Amino acid sequence: MAQVPHLPPLQALRALEAAARHRSFSRAAEELALTHSAISHHVRALEQSLGTKLFQRAGARMLPTSVGARLAERVRAALDGLQQALNEAGGQGEQPAVRLEVSVMADLANAWLIRRLPSLYEAMPMLDVHLRLHTEIPPPDPYSVDVGIWHQRVDLPGFECHRLIEDTVIAVASPALLARYPGFTVADLPRLPMLRFALRSWRDWLEQAGLPTHEPERGPIFQDAGMLLQSAVAGVGVATARALLAHDYLVSGALVQIGATRIPSTLQYWMIWREGHPHESAIRRMHGWLRQQIEASRLPDAGADAGAVD
């Protein structure tokens, strides 16, 4: 009779996987409905059994060692495979759900992505997306989520980084605001209230448009591009915005483009995930879907924009 291999308790393996994914014993304990000390006990027992360190402390975080990270990836794949087998056994072969935690920049999510989620679920009905909105440019810990859609790439070994968007910046305003300036032309733009964005000045757009490059000295300043667009829709003022984020508002008529001037955007979007992720096939399908949606959201070439105000 073949000898049955000795395996650690399943709860210990789950504790290892969750702690490595969250980079935190406390967050792993919350997910598994255990105490912090229980997670620590499970990890110590595994370390003693294997004779090697699986985690090391770095400030307030518990980072897996190279051995711990590799083991956690293997455990994650094994747990996913076990869950899929159980789903198939209990559901007569129904396709199991694929749960992905996706961290995405808040402006992209609010202005563009969320309204396209029905299309994503139609294309990938097995997907179970848990969205986390991120507002700061420095990306969070890339190990803490399955997918990141951020303004910066992750220059760490073991990660795939794909640039999603190379965008341009245009000027937009609401029709109601422009209606208050009869006979408005692009040359009149400096007379309008100009909304300020903390991450982009007006100077480059004004220079490209052949207008005086005077920065507005008054008016609200926005840190989030989504809030900036909402304020433009509300008629608070004219704004510069990424063409992709403004696309849906322009199509609906909530905003109109002022002139045909475009300047390159200095902030890109990157999609990041771990190499060899257990759900890499689903992540790559999601990446392909995103690229299709982005391509469908491109505005016409400069000078051909429907509804642009000259």
Side-chain angles (χ1 to χ4, degrees):
M1 179 181 295
Q3 185 178 1
V4 178
H6 173 70
L7 294 175
L10 179 60
Q11 190 73 306
L13 296 175
R14 294 182 65 207
L16 164 72
E17 188 279 329
R21 175 160 38 86
H22 288 299
R23 268 36 182 185
S24 166
F25 284 11
S26 297
R27 290 184 61 188
E30 291 176 6
E31 177 181 315
L32 300 178
L34 298 173
T35 63
H36 183 284
S37 61
I39 299 293
S40 298
H41 172 77
H42 284 310
V43 170
R44 283 197 304 271
L46 284 173
E47 290 178 333
Q48 292 172 2
S49 173
L50 297 171
T52 186
K53 290 287 292 182
L54 299 176
F55 285 87
Q56 57 189 8
R57 181 172 292 280
R61 297 190 300 170
M62 294 298 293
L63 300 182
T65 63
S66 58
V67 173
R70 287 197 302 270
L71 179 58
E73 287 285 353
R74 295 286 187 89
V75 169
R76 186 175 301 120
L79 291 174
D80 286 341
L82 179 59
Q83 184 64 63
Q84 180 174 344
L86 292 171
N87 289 340
E88 291 173 352
Q92 290 78 47
E94 291 181 3
Q95 191 173 24
V98 174
R99 182 181 185 275
L100 293 178
E101 291 199 30
V102 180
S103 172
V104 59
M105 299 305 297
D107 56 359
L108 182 66
N110 290 324
W112 185 84
L113 178 60
I114 289 176
R115 65 190 66 192
R116 287 168 173 78
L117 287 180
S119 169
L120 174 61
Y121 288 126
E122 182 177 349
M124 301 180 65
M126 76 296 186
L127 202 58
D128 181 13
V129 173
H130 290 221
L131 285 179
R132 294 188 193 173
L133 300 193
H134 186 68
T135 57
E136 302 298 325
I137 288 182
D141 182 353
Y143 291 95
S144 65
V145 294
D146 298 303
V147 176
I149 303 176
W150 300 320
H151 281 318
Q152 287 185 352
R153 58 177 296 138
V154 172
D155 293 318
L156 291 173
F159 281 88
E160 293 215 24
C161 298
H162 298 269
R163 183 156 54 188
L164 281 177
I165 305 166
E166 288 189 78
D167 209 357
T168 56
V169 171
I170 60 177
V172 294
S174 73
L177 174 66
L178 298 181
R180 302 195 327 241
Y181 297 84
F184 173 84
T185 66
V186 175
D188 298 318
L189 186 145
R191 296 195 295 120
L192 274 64
M194 298 167 68
L195 302 178
R196 295 181 288 174
F197 184 38
L199 303 179
R200 179 173 55 242
S201 73
W202 269 94
R203 183 175 303 276
D204 290 341
W205 190 94
L206 291 170
E207 181 178 7
Q208 185 70 22
L211 298 174
T213 57
H214 301 306
E215 287 286 334
E217 298 179 354
R218 299 184 60 186
I221 301 176
F222 296 88
Q223 187 74 28
D224 178 75
M227 294 178 62
L228 175 73
L229 277 168
Q230 287 293 334
S231 296
V233 170
V236 179
V238 59
T240 57
R242 300 173 66 99
L244 179 78
L245 299 187
H247 174 272
D248 293 352
Y249 298 108
L250 294 168
V251 170
S252 70
L255 292 174
V256 294
Q257 180 178 346
I258 296 178
T261 298
R262 299 186 186 207
I263 60 173
S265 173
T266 57
L267 291 175
Q268 310 300 330
Y269 287 98
W270 298 82
M271 183 168 172
I272 295 101
W273 68 84
R274 297 189 305 277
E275 293 177 354
H277 191 287
H279 296 312
E280 187 166 17
S281 175
I283 292 173
R284 289 190 179 278
R285 286 185 60 191
M286 182 180 178
H287 175 248
W289 173 86
L290 277 168
R291 296 297 299 267
Q292 291 175 351
Q293 295 295 315
I294 290 166
E295 190 62 34
S297 297
R298 292 194 184 281
L299 294 175
D301 292 336
D305 301 32
V309 175
D310 297 327

